[in-house]
Amino acid sequence: MSDNEQPQGSSSPDEPTQQMPADAQGRIRYQDAQSTTPREPTLAEQKARQMAEQRRAEAERAEQAAAAAKTAKRRKAMIGGGATVGVVALVAAMYSASEVSASANASQQYCAQEQQPGQAVTAPPENCDENYVRSQGGYVDHHSGFVFMPLFLGGPMSPTPSYRYAYTPAGAAPPSVGSPVSSSSFNKPSGTTIKDSKGSTIQRGGFGISSKSGSSGS
C-alpha cells in the first residue's frame, strides 16, 4: 500500500464532514389558535371534568342548604324569643295590675282591746307590738293571739288589759281608737292582702301568694 493510499472506509482529514440538512433536524412548531382545530378530549378527561362539575354542584347545594337552615333557626329563635317576651310582659302586667288592685282593696290590721267578753274597742297600735309589750313588762300568748299588759296600765279596778289584732273589711280604713269592734273583725281574712298600721304588707293576696305575719296576735 502506497503512502497515498488510505484504508477503505476512512476519510481524509482534509475532506469536509457531511452534515444533515436543516429540515431533517428537530424544530419547535407553533400552533395558531385561530386556525388550529383543538383536539377532542379523551374519555378519561371527559369523566374527570364531569366528576369535578358534580362535586362543585354538590358543594354549592350543601352550602345553600346550610345557609337556609341557619336562617330558619335564627328566625325561629327570634319568633320564640318574641313570644317569650310577650308572655312574660303579659304576666308581669297582670301581676302588677293584680298587685295594685290587691293593695287598693287590702284589709287593715289594727289593735283592739278586750274589755269584757264579747266587747272590744280599738286600741293604740303599740299595745299589740310585741317589743313594746315586753318592754312594759307584759307578755304575748302566741297560742291564743292575746297580748297581756301589766295590771297597772289598765287601772286599779280593771282586769289585766288584753289586746289582739282585728281586721277591717277589704278596702276599709281602721276605726279610730276607742271605737267599738265587732267580734267578726277578729277573723283574719284569707286570700286577701293585709297591711299593718304602718302600711307594710304582712300578707299578700291576688295570685294566692301569702306570707305569715311576724306580729303578735296574728
Side-chain angles (χ1 to χ4, degrees):
M1 180 183 296
S2 63
D3 293 338
N4 293 330
E5 293 183 357
Q6 294 181 357
Q8 187 178 1
S10 62
S11 58
S12 174
D14 297 333
E15 183 180 352
T17 303
Q18 186 178 2
Q19 295 182 354
M20 296 292 294
D23 293 342
Q25 297 181 0
R27 69 177 64 178
I28 298 175
R29 300 178 64 186
Y30 296 94
Q31 294 183 350
D32 187 357
Q34 296 180 353
S35 61
T36 303
T37 302
R39 69 176 178 82
E40 292 292 333
T42 64
L43 182 60
E45 291 175 341
Q46 293 178 7
K47 289 184 177 181
R49 291 178 183 178
Q50 291 176 357
M51 292 179 65
E53 185 66 22
Q54 184 178 359
R55 287 195 297 268
R56 185 187 63 80
E58 290 177 353
E60 289 182 356
R61 287 195 295 268
E63 184 177 355
Q64 292 174 358
K70 186 176 181 180
T71 301
K73 184 177 180 180
R74 186 185 300 112
R75 185 183 300 110
K76 186 176 181 180
M78 293 177 63
I79 293 174
T84 301
V85 171
V87 171
V88 171
L90 178 60
V91 171
M94 292 175 60
Y95 185 83
S96 178
S98 177
E99 283 290 292
V100 171
S101 177
S103 180
N105 295 283
S107 175
Q108 298 292 318
Q109 175 184 268
Y110 63 97
C111 188
Q113 179 183 3
E114 291 281 339
Q115 293 183 326
Q116 294 179 5
Q119 294 183 1
V121 295
T122 305
E126 62 268 16
N127 289 350
C128 288
D129 182 85
E130 185 171 351
N131 294 328
Y132 175 78
V133 171
R134 293 187 185 281
S135 69
Q136 297 300 315
Y139 70 96
V140 177
D141 184 350
H142 290 283
H143 179 71
S144 65
F146 281 93
V147 178
F148 297 96
M149 295 291 282
L151 180 61
F152 67 86
L153 291 179
M157 301 301 295
S158 301
T160 302
S162 61
Y163 304 87
R164 58 175 170 159
Y165 281 116
Y167 306 89
T168 68
S176 58
V177 175
S179 300
V181 176
S182 64
S183 59
S184 61
S185 299
F186 294 105
N187 298 325
K188 184 178 180 179
S190 60
T192 302
T193 299
I194 300 176
K195 293 184 177 294
D196 61 14
S197 58
K198 297 179 181 179
S200 300
T201 300
I202 59 175
Q203 175 177 295
R204 294 186 181 276
F207 283 102
I209 303 172
S210 62
S211 61
K212 295 182 179 180
S213 170
S215 304
S216 306
S218 57

